[in-house]
Amino acid sequence: MSNPSRWVLINRFAEITGYSEDAVRHKVKNGTWSQGRIWRKAPDGRILVNLEEFERWVESGRQLAAH
């Protein structure tokens, strides 16, 4: 199934990548993924994950922690 949006909700991200929703929330909470780059809060408060930046993170082999 294709995905036209680079920003997706956690449940959709989990479906696409195989990461559990809890694993995603943990990476957001502990700073493994930087806010504004890999994830952000939508105006309604829901967390969205950027698929393009996630792929860069995977390919980099390192953590992109918040500074």
Coordinates of all heavy atoms in Angstrom, one line a residue:
M1 N 0.8 -1.2 0.0 CA 0.0 0.0 0.0 C 0.9 1.2 0.0 O 1.8 1.4 0.8 CB -0.9 0.0 1.3 CG -1.9 1.1 1.3 SD -2.9 1.1 2.8 CE -3.4 -0.5 3.0
S2 N 0.7 2.1 -0.9 CA 1.5 3.3 -1.0 C 1.0 4.4 0.0 O -0.1 4.3 0.5 CB 1.4 3.9 -2.4 OG 0.1 4.4 -2.7
N3 N 1.9 5.3 0.3 CA 1.6 6.3 1.3 C 2.0 7.7 0.7 O 3.1 8.0 0.6 CB 2.3 6.1 2.6 CG 1.9 7.1 3.6 OD1 0.7 7.3 3.8 ND2 2.9 7.7 4.2
P4 N 1.0 8.5 0.4 CA 1.3 9.8 -0.3 C 1.8 10.9 0.7 O 2.4 11.9 0.3 CB 0.0 10.3 -0.9 CG -1.0 9.6 0.0 CD -0.4 8.3 0.4
S5 N 1.7 10.7 2.0 CA 2.1 11.7 3.0 C 3.4 11.3 3.7 O 3.6 10.2 4.0 CB 1.0 11.9 4.0 OG 1.4 12.8 5.0
R6 N 4.3 12.3 3.9 CA 5.5 12.0 4.6 C 5.2 12.0 6.1 O 6.0 11.4 6.9 CB 6.6 12.9 4.2 CG 6.4 14.3 4.6 CD 7.6 15.2 4.3 NE 7.4 16.5 4.8 CZ 8.1 17.5 4.5 NH1 9.1 17.4 3.7 NH2 7.8 18.7 5.0
W7 N 4.2 12.8 6.6 CA 3.9 12.8 8.0 C 2.7 11.9 8.2 O 1.6 12.1 7.6 CB 3.5 14.2 8.4 CG 4.7 15.2 8.4 CD1 5.0 16.1 7.4 CD2 5.6 15.3 9.4 NE1 6.1 16.8 7.8 CE2 6.5 16.3 9.0 CE3 5.9 14.7 10.7 CZ2 7.6 16.7 9.8 CZ3 6.9 15.1 11.4 CH2 7.8 16.1 11.0
V8 N 2.9 10.9 9.1 CA 1.8 10.0 9.4 C 1.6 9.8 10.9 O 2.6 10.0 11.7 CB 2.1 8.6 8.8 CG1 2.1 8.6 7.3 CG2 3.4 8.0 9.3
L9 N 0.4 9.5 11.3 CA 0.1 9.2 12.7 C 0.9 7.9 13.2 O 1.3 7.1 12.4 CB -1.4 9.0 12.9 CG -2.2 10.3 12.7 CD1 -3.7 10.0 12.7 CD2 -1.9 11.4 13.7
I10 N 1.0 7.8 14.5 CA 1.8 6.7 15.0 C 1.2 5.3 14.6 O 2.0 4.5 14.2 CB 1.9 6.8 16.6 CG1 2.7 8.0 17.0 CG2 2.4 5.5 17.2 CD1 2.8 8.2 18.5
N11 N -0.1 5.2 14.6 CA -0.6 3.9 14.2 C -0.3 3.5 12.8 O 0.0 2.4 12.5 CB -2.1 3.8 14.5 CG -2.9 4.8 13.7 OD1 -2.5 5.8 13.2 ND2 -4.2 4.4 13.5
R12 N -0.3 4.5 11.9 CA 0.0 4.3 10.5 C 1.5 4.0 10.3 O 1.9 3.1 9.6 CB -0.4 5.5 9.6 CG -0.1 5.3 8.2 CD -1.0 4.3 7.5 NE -0.7 4.3 6.1 CZ -0.4 3.2 5.4 NH1 -0.4 2.0 6.0 NH2 -0.1 3.3 4.1
F13 N 2.3 4.7 11.1 CA 3.8 4.5 11.1 C 4.1 3.1 11.5 O 4.9 2.4 10.9 CB 4.5 5.5 12.0 CG 5.9 5.4 12.1 CD1 6.7 6.0 11.1 CD2 6.5 4.6 13.0 CE1 8.1 5.8 11.1 CE2 7.9 4.4 13.1 CZ 8.7 5.0 12.1
A14 N 3.4 2.6 12.5 CA 3.6 1.2 13.0 C 3.2 0.2 11.9 O 3.9 -0.8 11.7 CB 2.8 1.0 14.3
E15 N 2.1 0.5 11.2 CA 1.7 -0.4 10.2 C 2.8 -0.5 9.1 O 3.1 -1.6 8.5 CB 0.4 0.0 9.5 CG -0.8 -0.1 10.4 CD -2.0 0.5 9.8 OE1 -2.0 0.9 8.6 OE2 -3.0 0.6 10.4
I16 N 3.4 0.7 8.7 CA 4.3 0.7 7.6 C 5.7 0.1 8.0 O 6.3 -0.6 7.2 CB 4.5 2.2 7.2 CG1 3.2 2.8 6.6 CG2 5.7 2.3 6.2 CD1 3.2 4.3 6.4
T17 N 6.1 0.4 9.2 CA 7.5 0.0 9.6 C 7.6 -1.2 10.4 O 8.7 -1.8 10.4 CB 8.2 1.2 10.4 OG1 7.5 1.3 11.6 CG2 8.2 2.5 9.6
G18 N 6.6 -1.6 11.1 CA 6.7 -2.8 11.9 C 7.1 -2.4 13.4 O 7.1 -3.3 14.2
Y19 N 7.4 -1.2 13.6 CA 7.7 -0.7 15.0 C 6.4 -0.7 15.7 O 5.3 -0.4 15.2 CB 8.2 0.7 15.0 CG 9.7 0.8 14.9 CD1 10.3 0.8 13.6 CD2 10.5 1.0 16.0 CE1 11.7 0.9 13.5 CE2 11.9 1.2 15.8 CZ 12.5 1.1 14.6 OH 13.8 1.3 14.4
S20 N 6.4 -1.1 17.0 CA 5.2 -1.1 17.8 C 4.9 0.4 18.1 O 5.8 1.2 18.1 CB 5.3 -1.9 19.1 OG 6.2 -1.2 20.0
E21 N 3.6 0.7 18.4 CA 3.2 2.1 18.8 C 4.0 2.4 20.1 O 4.4 3.6 20.2 CB 1.7 2.2 18.9 CG 1.0 2.1 17.6 CD -0.5 2.2 17.7 OE1 -0.9 3.0 18.6 OE2 -1.2 1.6 16.9
D22 N 4.1 1.5 21.0 CA 4.8 1.8 22.2 C 6.3 2.1 22.0 O 6.9 3.0 22.6 CB 4.7 0.6 23.2 CG 3.4 0.5 23.8 OD1 2.6 1.4 23.8 OD2 3.1 -0.6 24.4
A23 N 6.9 1.4 21.0 CA 8.3 1.7 20.7 C 8.5 3.1 20.1 O 9.4 3.8 20.5 CB 8.8 0.7 19.7
V24 N 7.5 3.5 19.3 CA 7.5 4.9 18.7 C 7.4 5.9 19.8 O 8.2 6.9 19.9 CB 6.4 5.0 17.7 CG1 6.4 6.5 17.2 CG2 6.6 4.1 16.5
R25 N 6.4 5.7 20.7 CA 6.2 6.7 21.8 C 7.5 6.7 22.7 O 7.8 7.8 23.2 CB 5.0 6.3 22.6 CG 3.7 6.6 21.9 CD 2.5 6.3 22.7 NE 1.3 6.6 22.0 CZ 0.6 5.8 21.2 NH1 1.0 4.5 21.1 NH2 -0.4 6.1 20.5
H26 N 8.1 5.6 22.9 CA 9.3 5.6 23.7 C 10.5 6.4 23.1 O 11.1 7.2 23.7 CB 9.8 4.1 24.0 CG 11.0 4.0 24.8 ND1 11.0 4.3 26.2 CD2 12.3 3.7 24.5 CE1 12.2 4.1 26.7 NE2 13.0 3.8 25.7
K27 N 10.7 6.3 21.7 CA 11.7 7.0 21.0 C 11.4 8.5 21.1 O 12.3 9.3 21.2 CB 11.8 6.5 19.6 CG 12.4 5.1 19.5 CD 12.6 4.7 18.1 CE 13.1 3.3 17.9 NZ 14.0 2.8 18.9
V28 N 10.1 8.9 21.0 CA 9.7 10.3 21.1 C 10.0 10.8 22.5 O 10.6 11.8 22.7 CB 8.2 10.4 20.8 CG1 7.7 11.8 21.2 CG2 8.0 10.2 19.3
K29 N 9.6 10.0 23.5 CA 9.7 10.5 24.9 C 11.1 10.6 25.4 O 11.5 11.5 26.1 CB 8.9 9.5 25.8 CG 8.9 9.9 27.3 CD 8.0 9.0 28.1 CE 8.0 9.5 29.5 NZ 7.1 8.7 30.4
N30 N 12.0 9.6 25.0 CA 13.3 9.6 25.6 C 14.3 10.4 24.7 O 15.5 10.5 25.0 CB 13.9 8.2 25.8 CG 14.2 7.4 24.5 OD1 14.2 8.0 23.4 ND2 14.6 6.2 24.7
G31 N 13.9 11.0 23.6 CA 14.7 11.9 22.8 C 15.5 11.2 21.8 O 16.4 11.8 21.1
T32 N 15.3 9.9 21.5 CA 16.0 9.2 20.4 C 15.7 9.9 19.1 O 16.6 10.0 18.3 CB 15.6 7.7 20.4 OG1 15.9 7.1 21.6 CG2 16.2 7.0 19.2
W33 N 14.5 10.3 18.9 CA 14.1 11.0 17.7 C 13.9 12.5 18.0 O 13.2 12.8 19.0 CB 12.8 10.5 17.1 CG 13.0 9.1 16.6 CD1 14.2 8.4 16.3 CD2 12.0 8.2 16.2 NE1 13.9 7.2 15.8 CE2 12.5 7.0 15.7 CE3 10.6 8.3 16.3 CZ2 11.8 6.0 15.3 CZ3 9.8 7.2 15.8 CH2 10.4 6.1 15.3
S34 N 14.4 13.4 17.3 CA 14.3 14.8 17.5 C 13.0 15.4 17.1 O 12.5 15.1 16.0 CB 15.5 15.6 16.9 OG 15.4 15.4 15.5
Q35 N 12.4 16.2 18.0 CA 11.2 16.9 17.7 C 11.4 17.9 16.6 O 12.4 18.6 16.6 CB 10.6 17.5 18.9 CG 9.3 18.1 18.7 CD 8.6 18.7 20.0 OE1 9.3 18.7 21.0 NE2 7.4 19.2 19.9
G36 N 10.4 17.9 15.7 CA 10.5 18.9 14.6 C 11.2 18.3 13.4 O 11.0 18.8 12.2
R37 N 12.0 17.2 13.6 CA 12.7 16.6 12.4 C 12.0 15.2 12.1 O 11.6 15.0 11.0 CB 14.1 16.5 12.8 CG 14.9 15.9 11.6 CD 16.4 15.9 11.9 NE 17.1 15.5 10.7 CZ 18.4 15.5 10.6 NH1 19.1 16.0 11.6 NH2 19.0 15.0 9.5
I38 N 12.0 14.3 13.1 CA 11.5 13.0 12.9 C 10.0 13.0 13.4 O 9.2 12.2 12.8 CB 12.3 11.9 13.6 CG1 13.7 11.9 13.0 CG2 11.7 10.6 13.5 CD1 14.6 10.8 13.5
W39 N 9.7 13.7 14.4 CA 8.3 13.8 14.8 C 7.9 15.2 15.2 O 8.8 16.0 15.5 CB 8.1 12.8 16.0 CG 8.8 13.3 17.3 CD1 10.1 13.1 17.7 CD2 8.1 14.0 18.3 NE1 10.3 13.7 18.9 CE2 9.1 14.3 19.3 CE3 6.9 14.5 18.6 CZ2 8.9 15.0 20.5 CZ3 6.6 15.2 19.7 CH2 7.6 15.4 20.7
R40 N 6.6 15.4 15.3 CA 6.1 16.7 15.7 C 4.7 16.5 16.2 O 4.0 15.5 15.8 CB 6.2 17.8 14.6 CG 5.2 17.5 13.5 CD 5.2 18.7 12.5 NE 6.6 19.1 12.2 CZ 6.9 19.9 11.1 NH1 5.9 20.3 10.3 NH2 8.1 20.2 10.9
K41 N 4.2 17.5 16.9 CA 2.8 17.5 17.4 C 2.0 18.3 16.4 O 2.4 19.4 16.0 CB 2.6 18.1 18.8 CG 2.9 17.1 19.8 CD 2.5 17.6 21.2 CE 2.7 16.5 22.2 NZ 2.3 17.0 23.6
A42 N 0.9 17.7 16.0 CA -0.1 18.5 15.1 C -0.8 19.5 15.9 O -0.8 19.4 17.2 CB -1.1 17.5 14.5
P43 N -1.5 20.4 15.3 CA -2.2 21.4 16.1 C -3.2 20.8 17.0 O -3.6 21.4 18.0 CB -2.9 22.3 15.0 CG -2.0 22.2 13.8 CD -1.4 20.7 13.9
D44 N -3.7 19.6 16.7 CA -4.7 19.0 17.6 C -4.0 18.2 18.7 O -4.7 17.5 19.5 CB -5.7 18.1 16.8 CG -5.0 16.9 16.1 OD1 -3.8 16.8 16.2 OD2 -5.7 16.2 15.4
G45 N -2.7 18.2 18.8 CA -1.9 17.5 19.9 C -1.5 16.1 19.5 O -0.8 15.5 20.3
R46 N -1.9 15.6 18.4 CA -1.5 14.2 18.0 C -0.1 14.2 17.5 O 0.3 15.2 16.8 CB -2.5 13.6 17.0 CG -3.9 13.5 17.6 CD -4.9 13.1 16.6 NE -4.8 11.6 16.4 CZ -5.5 10.9 15.6 NH1 -6.4 11.5 14.8 NH2 -5.3 9.6 15.5
I47 N 0.6 13.1 17.7 CA 2.0 13.0 17.3 C 2.0 12.4 15.8 O 1.4 11.4 15.6 CB 2.8 12.1 18.2 CG1 2.9 12.8 19.6 CG2 4.2 11.8 17.7 CD1 3.6 12.0 20.7
L48 N 2.8 13.1 15.0 CA 3.0 12.6 13.6 C 4.5 12.3 13.5 O 5.4 13.0 14.0 CB 2.6 13.7 12.7 CG 1.1 14.1 12.7 CD1 0.9 15.4 12.1 CD2 0.4 13.0 11.9
V49 N 4.8 11.3 12.6 CA 6.2 10.9 12.3 C 6.5 11.1 10.9 O 5.7 10.8 10.0 CB 6.4 9.4 12.7 CG1 7.9 9.0 12.5 CG2 6.0 9.1 14.2
N50 N 7.6 11.7 10.6 CA 8.1 12.0 9.2 C 8.8 10.7 8.7 O 9.9 10.4 9.1 CB 9.0 13.2 9.2 CG 9.5 13.6 7.9 OD1 9.7 12.8 7.0 ND2 9.5 14.9 7.7
L51 N 8.2 10.1 7.7 CA 8.7 8.9 7.1 C 10.1 9.1 6.4 O 11.0 8.3 6.5 CB 7.8 8.3 6.1 CG 6.5 7.7 6.8 CD1 5.5 7.3 5.7 CD2 6.8 6.4 7.6
E52 N 10.2 10.2 5.8 CA 11.5 10.5 5.1 C 12.7 10.7 6.1 O 13.7 10.2 5.9 CB 11.4 11.8 4.2 CG 10.4 11.6 3.1 CD 10.2 13.0 2.4 OE1 10.8 14.0 2.7 OE2 9.3 13.0 1.4
E53 N 12.4 11.4 7.2 CA 13.4 11.6 8.2 C 13.7 10.3 8.9 O 14.9 10.0 9.3 CB 13.1 12.7 9.2 CG 13.1 14.1 8.5 CD 14.5 14.5 8.0 OE1 15.5 14.1 8.6 OE2 14.6 15.2 7.0
F54 N 12.7 9.5 9.2 CA 12.9 8.2 9.8 C 13.8 7.3 8.9 O 14.8 6.7 9.4 CB 11.6 7.5 10.0 CG 11.7 6.0 10.2 CD1 12.1 5.6 11.5 CD2 11.5 5.1 9.3 CE1 12.3 4.2 11.7 CE2 11.6 3.7 9.5 CZ 12.0 3.3 10.7
E55 N 13.6 7.3 7.6 CA 14.5 6.6 6.7 C 15.9 7.1 6.8 O 16.9 6.3 6.8 CB 14.0 6.6 5.3 CG 12.7 5.8 5.1 CD 12.1 5.8 3.8 OE1 12.7 6.5 2.9 OE2 11.0 5.2 3.6
R56 N 16.1 8.4 6.8 CA 17.5 9.0 7.0 C 18.1 8.5 8.3 O 19.3 8.2 8.3 CB 17.4 10.5 6.9 CG 17.2 11.0 5.6 CD 17.4 12.5 5.5 NE 17.0 13.0 4.2 CZ 16.0 13.8 4.0 NH1 15.3 14.3 4.9 NH2 15.7 14.2 2.7
W57 N 17.3 8.5 9.4 CA 17.8 8.0 10.7 C 18.3 6.6 10.6 O 19.4 6.2 11.0 CB 16.7 8.2 11.7 CG 17.1 7.6 13.1 CD1 17.9 8.2 14.0 CD2 16.6 6.4 13.6 NE1 18.0 7.3 15.1 CE2 17.1 6.3 14.9 CE3 15.7 5.4 13.2 CZ2 16.9 5.2 15.7 CZ3 15.4 4.4 14.0 CH2 16.0 4.2 15.2
V58 N 17.5 5.7 9.9 CA 17.8 4.3 9.8 C 19.1 4.2 9.0 O 20.0 3.4 9.4 CB 16.7 3.5 9.1 CG1 17.1 2.2 8.7 CG2 15.4 3.5 10.0
E59 N 19.2 4.9 7.9 CA 20.4 4.8 7.0 C 21.6 5.4 7.6 O 22.7 5.0 7.2 CB 20.0 5.4 5.6 CG 19.0 4.6 4.9 CD 18.4 5.3 3.7 OE1 18.8 6.5 3.4 OE2 17.6 4.7 3.0
S60 N 21.5 6.3 8.5 CA 22.6 7.0 9.1 C 23.4 6.1 10.1 O 24.5 6.3 10.4 CB 22.2 8.3 9.8 OG 21.6 8.0 11.1
G61 N 22.6 5.1 10.7 CA 23.2 4.3 11.7 C 23.5 5.0 13.0 O 24.3 4.5 13.8
R62 N 22.9 6.1 13.2 CA 23.2 6.8 14.5 C 21.9 7.5 15.0 O 20.9 7.5 14.2 CB 24.2 7.9 14.3 CG 23.9 9.0 13.3 CD 25.0 9.9 13.0 NE 24.7 10.7 11.9 CZ 24.0 11.9 11.9 NH1 23.4 12.3 13.0 NH2 23.8 12.5 10.8
Q63 N 21.9 8.0 16.2 CA 20.7 8.6 16.8 C 20.8 10.1 16.4 O 21.8 10.7 16.4 CB 20.7 8.5 18.3 CG 20.5 7.1 18.7 CD 20.2 7.0 20.2 OE1 20.3 8.0 20.9 NE2 19.9 5.8 20.7
L64 N 19.6 10.6 16.1 CA 19.4 12.1 15.8 C 18.7 12.7 17.0 O 17.5 13.1 16.9 CB 18.6 12.3 14.5 CG 19.2 11.7 13.2 CD1 18.3 11.9 12.0 CD2 20.5 12.4 12.9
A65 N 19.4 12.8 18.1 CA 18.8 13.2 19.3 C 18.6 14.8 19.2 O 19.3 15.5 18.5 CB 19.6 12.9 20.5
A66 N 17.6 15.2 20.0 CA 17.4 16.7 20.1 C 18.6 17.4 20.7 O 19.3 16.8 21.5 CB 16.2 16.9 21.0
H67 N 18.9 18.6 20.2 CA 20.0 19.4 20.7 C 19.6 20.5 21.6 O 18.6 21.1 21.4 CB 20.9 19.9 19.6 CG 21.4 18.8 18.7 ND1 22.5 18.1 19.2 CD2 21.1 18.3 17.5 CE1 22.8 17.2 18.2 NE2 21.9 17.3 17.2

